[in-house]
């Protein structure tokens, strides 16, 4: 419904630095205002450096704001129907911009700029679009180089000379950025007698280019001793037992590796903390020459990112260099770089280099090249000839780059800002590599208006918005504020004169995507195929055609996701292949295709390569290992979801009807999943359904409940699939942690809560859940520390809409304080007062919506947020908590009879038309045997939805 209407692009290239500015005008065909999320992948070594919105004819640029405050300001401004925009830190080569509102049947103009270093690749600008754009204006300043688009792509060859670019910035400092070549002395790594391959099998690992990884691992093992063995150790939530490969360097070893890799099932979330904790034990008994290879997409939904980074730095004590390998464009490059550097190892990015070249690099010992202390980074690690970008900042003019004999060129104007930005990128990488404090990273982000793990770029509507959040005002708003204040003062003076009373001056204000798909084409021996014509179709209509490059890679970029996507690959002398992807294919997916020689008929398969590997079949007698057909090709129910689960209609009534139909189909999928008795059959069906329903709350939560009947371990991993898919949603992670705690998975629940606290530290509900978990685990020091953190917030600083949560947590801590040291050491379930007969606790995962629990007692009296006590002595708290809950019902001497527990979805977040709310209710009943706990989940999607959740017989 959001279509790109006009696009203006300005690119500036100077030496090894490039800046690209885009002005994008989108038109909405909807008849209501909506939020928009603009997403696109970034080139290598690029960062979003600016964002802005137009207010009339004025472009307002984003300011760097502490990330938690920025998200709060964005959401609060959205719900006043104002105009904010927000860019947050996103590890990897991806970018997203949240904008509101995109007006009904209107236009929204967005400004985005990104800067990059051209050290490993040419500058490329893809101008191939799936639909006609009414207005396209492109200007490329290539520093005097002639340019000419070829097949819709503007390519500017990178400058291969070593040059230092310097500039005098507006802040009075001098900055320099140099591109230098490092050719370390070659030192071959000795072949190993044993190799450990740590293989990430989390659900996000499907983003890896599996063929590239297999080629690397096969080539790497072939370079080891002829008698070498290897252990393949899959890991996601935990480390699985290793699979031994004998004669790993031989063809038979390569076949066994291939078989083992194809048997792996991507499921669950990545737990890098568990990996780093178990690795010393795993490696201790192995030969000293053992090589360790870590294959991961570098993403984690579990634990605090600071702890993960520190855990990798601690691996240096093993004195075992890691070979860190990734083949996913969404990988967290900084995390993986630091994991390799801290151990003196290698980070090999197979999205940038060929697997064979990566193998050669891994068989060379890395050299450490130290630079002048004024330069960042101060140490370069390279095992082969490599180009690096280094930078520096000084107070004095820079006539030469310290320690390097390279030409120096001074830049001015827009180009000067590129040099300062290059220093900011280099400095940020250095801060994160050495584990700098949050305050240091925050100060850096503010100084350089940079997106960092601690700062976001934010655009707000009025000067009052900036003053309210104590943010620096953009220049045009400073003048507007002064004009309005002067006018208000003038009117006040006139009013004072009329009323003949003295003037009282007011106090001074406080200081202030396109949709993408990429992949590779290979022959049946896994060799890359350049020159293959690859077409993207939507409902049989060709929207874009590309040709694979010398590495066999292709990439599509279109303004909107196809509704019925197909990919067709063709090459003379090979058979054509059609991959029918259907709808709901996420942007940034990766799809590999295999062409068979001397086969002329078409091979048509249905697959969701971005989400799950599936069974192998083909329409020819030749085995096609990379073409995997999910059950969706034969299962009518899953085919119905592909066909009926989405719509391109702009009619809200049609969209609501489709949403209802999708929920009905999801319930039917869950019913069929439950009907399957074999865990293996259930897992196979779940994986194929996940290709269509991945990320849906009801699908994952209820599927996990079904798996728990037979396999609790699989149930945990299925639930964590949802955490991996939505790892930036703190309220959802909090609810998943509550569920896992109830399943006696306290260690994993704690990691989810730590991640939720890092994302949203001001949400008191996460702190309360962590205190409850620590108390139940007997972690007395942790309870004391978190309790002190909560009590340190003065009553005057506690927001009115979460005061109830503070009060609920204070009561919990009071019970902890009353317990004896022995009880604390043993662990106490503080969620329930053992004197109460019945406790019912509701929490949900959306903030700008309201869910209530209603308890109808045996007498017929209803206890809820607006009737908080009953004649039988029940008490209700939390009715005025803003979003999330908890709402808690307790009764001490419960009269016998039936207690009806109902749930009411009072209001949804109307700024998000696709919102669903997951509600989780814990029912704790005192029985003769102790406290009996039950849990209920429900996913709510419509206002005024009311349903019976459970009954309790006393």
């Amino acid at each position: 419904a959001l279509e790109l209407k006009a696009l203006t692009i300005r690119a500036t290239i100077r030496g090894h630095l490039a800046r690209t500015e885009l002005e994008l005008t989108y038109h909405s065909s909807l008849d209501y205002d909506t939020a928009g999320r603009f997403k696109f992948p970034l080139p290598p070594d690029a960062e979003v450096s600016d964002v802005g919105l137009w207010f009339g004819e004025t472009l307002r640029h984003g300011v760097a704001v502490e990330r938690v405050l920025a998200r709060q300001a964005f959401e609060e401004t959205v719900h006043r129907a104002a105009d904010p925009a927000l860019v947050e830190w996103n590890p990897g080569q991806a970018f997203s911009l949240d904008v509101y509102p995109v007006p009904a049947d209107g236009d929204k103009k967005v400004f985005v700029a990104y800067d990059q270093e051209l050290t490993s690749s040419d500058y490329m600008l893809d101008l191939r679009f799936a639909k006609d754009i009414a207005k396209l204006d492109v200007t490329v300043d290539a520093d005097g180089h002639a340019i000419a688009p070829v097949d819709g792509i503007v390519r500017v060859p990178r400058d291969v000379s070593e040059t230092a670019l310097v500039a005098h910035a507006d802040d009075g400092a001098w900055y320099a950025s140099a591109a230098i070549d490092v050719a370390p002395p070659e030192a071959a790594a000795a072949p190993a007698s044993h190799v450990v391959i740590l293989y990430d099998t989390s659900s996000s690992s499907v983003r890896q280019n599996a063929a590239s990884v297999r080629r690397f691992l096969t080539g790497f093992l072939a370079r080891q001793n002829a008698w070498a063995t290897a252990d393949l150790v899959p890991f996601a939530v935990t480390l699985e037992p290793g699979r031994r490969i004998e004669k790993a360097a031989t063809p038979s070893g390569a076949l066994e590796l291939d078989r083992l890799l194809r048997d792996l099932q991507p499921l669950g979330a990545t737990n890098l903390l568990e990996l780093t904790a178990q690795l010393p034990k795993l490696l201790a008994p192995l030969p000293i020459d053992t090589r360790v290879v870590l294959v991961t997409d570098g993403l984690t939904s579990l634990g605090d990112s600071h702890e993960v980074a520190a855990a990798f730095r601690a691996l240096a004590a093993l004195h075992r260099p890691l070979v860190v390998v990734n083949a996913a464009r969404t990988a967290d490059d900084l995390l993986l770089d630091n994991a390799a550097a801290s151990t003196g190892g290698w980070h090999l990015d197979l999205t940038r280099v060929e697997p064979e070249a990566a193998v050669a690099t891994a068989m060379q010992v890395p050299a450490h090249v130290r630079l002048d202390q004024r330069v960042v980074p101060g140490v370069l690690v390279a095992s082969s000839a490599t180009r690096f970008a280094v930078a520096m900042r000084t107070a004095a003019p820079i006539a030469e780059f310290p320690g390097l004999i390279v030409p120096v060129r001074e830049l001015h104007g827009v180009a000067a800002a590129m040099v300062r930005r290059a220093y900011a990128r280099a400095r940020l990488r250095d801060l994160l590599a050495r584990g700098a404090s949050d305050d240091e990273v925050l100060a850096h982000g503010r100084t350089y208006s940079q997106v960092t793990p601690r700062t976001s770029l934010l655009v707000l509507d009025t000067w009052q918005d900036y003053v309210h959040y104590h943010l620096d005002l953009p220049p045009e708003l400073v003048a507007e504020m002064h004009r309005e204040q002067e006018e208000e003062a003038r009117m006040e003076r006139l009013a004072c004169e009329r009323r003949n009373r003295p003037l009282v001056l007011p106090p001074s204000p406080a200081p202030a995507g396109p949709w993408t798909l990429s992949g590779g084409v290979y022959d049946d021996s896994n060799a890359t195929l350049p020159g293959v014509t690859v077409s993207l179709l939507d409902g049989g209509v060709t929207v874009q055609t590309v040709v694979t490059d010398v590495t066999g890679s292709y990439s599509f970029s279109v303004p909107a996701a196809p509704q019925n996507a197909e990919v067709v690959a063709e090459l003379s002398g090979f058979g054509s292949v059609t991959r029918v992807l259907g709808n709901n294919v996420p942007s940034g997916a990766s799809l590999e295709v295999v062409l068979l020689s001397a086969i002329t008929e078409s091979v048509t398969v249905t697959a969701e390569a971005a989400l799950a590997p599936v069974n192998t079949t083909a329409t020819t007698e030749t085995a096609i290992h990379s073409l995997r057909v999910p059950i969706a090709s034969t299962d009518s129910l899953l085919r119905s979801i592909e066909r009926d689960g989405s719509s391109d209609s702009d009619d809200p009534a049609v969209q609501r009807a489709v949403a209802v139909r999708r929920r009905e189909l999801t319930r039917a999928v869950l019913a069929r999943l439950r009907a399957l008795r074999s865990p293996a059959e259930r897992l196979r069906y779940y994986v194929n359904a996940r290709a269509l329903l991945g990320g849906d709350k009801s699908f994952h939560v209820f599927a996990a409940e079904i798996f728990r009947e037979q396999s609790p371990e699989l149930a945990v991993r299925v639930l964590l699939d949802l955490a991996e898919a939505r790892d930036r949603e703190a309220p959802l992670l909090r609810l998943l942690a509550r569920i896992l705690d109830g399943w006696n998975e306290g260690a994993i629940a704690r990691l989810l809560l730590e991640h939720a606290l890092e994302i949203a530290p001001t949400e008191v509900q996460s702190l309360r859940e962590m205190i409850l978990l620590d108390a139940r685990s007997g972690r007395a020091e942790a309870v004391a520390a978190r309790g002190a953190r909560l009590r340190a917030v003065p009553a005057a600083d506690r927001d009115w809409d979460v005061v109830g949560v503070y009060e609920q947590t204070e009561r919990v801590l009071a019970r902890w304080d009353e317990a004896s040291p022995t009880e604390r050491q043993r662990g106490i379930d503080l969620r329930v007062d053992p004197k109460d007969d019945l406790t019912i606790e509701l929490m949900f995962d959306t903030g700008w919506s309201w869910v209530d629990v209603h308890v109808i007692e045996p007498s017929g009296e209803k206890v809820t947020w607006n009737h908080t006590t009953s004649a039988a002595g029940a008490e209700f708290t939390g009715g005025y908590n803003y979003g999330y809950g908890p709402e808690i019902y307790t009764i001490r001497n419960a009269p016998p009879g039936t207690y009806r527990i109902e749930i009411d979805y009072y209001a949804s977040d109307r700024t998000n038309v696709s919102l669903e709310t997951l509600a989780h209710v814990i029912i704790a009943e005192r029985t003769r045997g102790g406290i009996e706990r039950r849990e209920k989940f429900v996913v709510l999607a419509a206002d005024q939805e009311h349903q019976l959740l459970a009954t309790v017989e006393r």
Side-chain angles (χ1 to χ4, degrees), residues 724-736:
E724 185 96 331
R726 295 173 175 258
D727 70 332
R728 303 301 298 174
E729 299 180 21
L732 175 61
L733 298 179
R734 182 166 58 240
L735 257 62
L736 297 180

Side-chain angles (χ1 to χ4, degrees), residues 610-631:
L611 293 177
V614 286
N615 297 333
T616 300
T617 62
T619 59
T620 69
E621 294 181 359
T622 306
I624 307 177
H625 298 293
S626 292
L627 299 181
R628 303 176 176 184
V629 184
I631 297 174

Side-chain angles (χ1 to χ4, degrees), residues 34 158 160 212 271 302 335 350 414 451 455 488 540 561 635 673 719 740 745 774 781 787 805 872 908 929:
T34 188
R158 67 185 180 95
V160 297
S212 293
N271 187 354
L302 298 179
L335 174 64
L350 301 185
V414 174
V451 180
T455 50
E488 288 177 4
D635 184 272
L673 185 67
L719 197 65
L740 288 166
E745 295 288 350
D774 286 335
E781 291 183 2
V805 186
S908 64

Side-chain angles (χ1 to χ4, degrees), residues 166-168 172-176 374 392-400:
V166 303
H168 188 223
W174 285 81
Y175 294 88
R374 292 167 290 178
M392 63 176 292
R393 177 185 185 274
T394 68
I398 300 173
E400 61 181 19

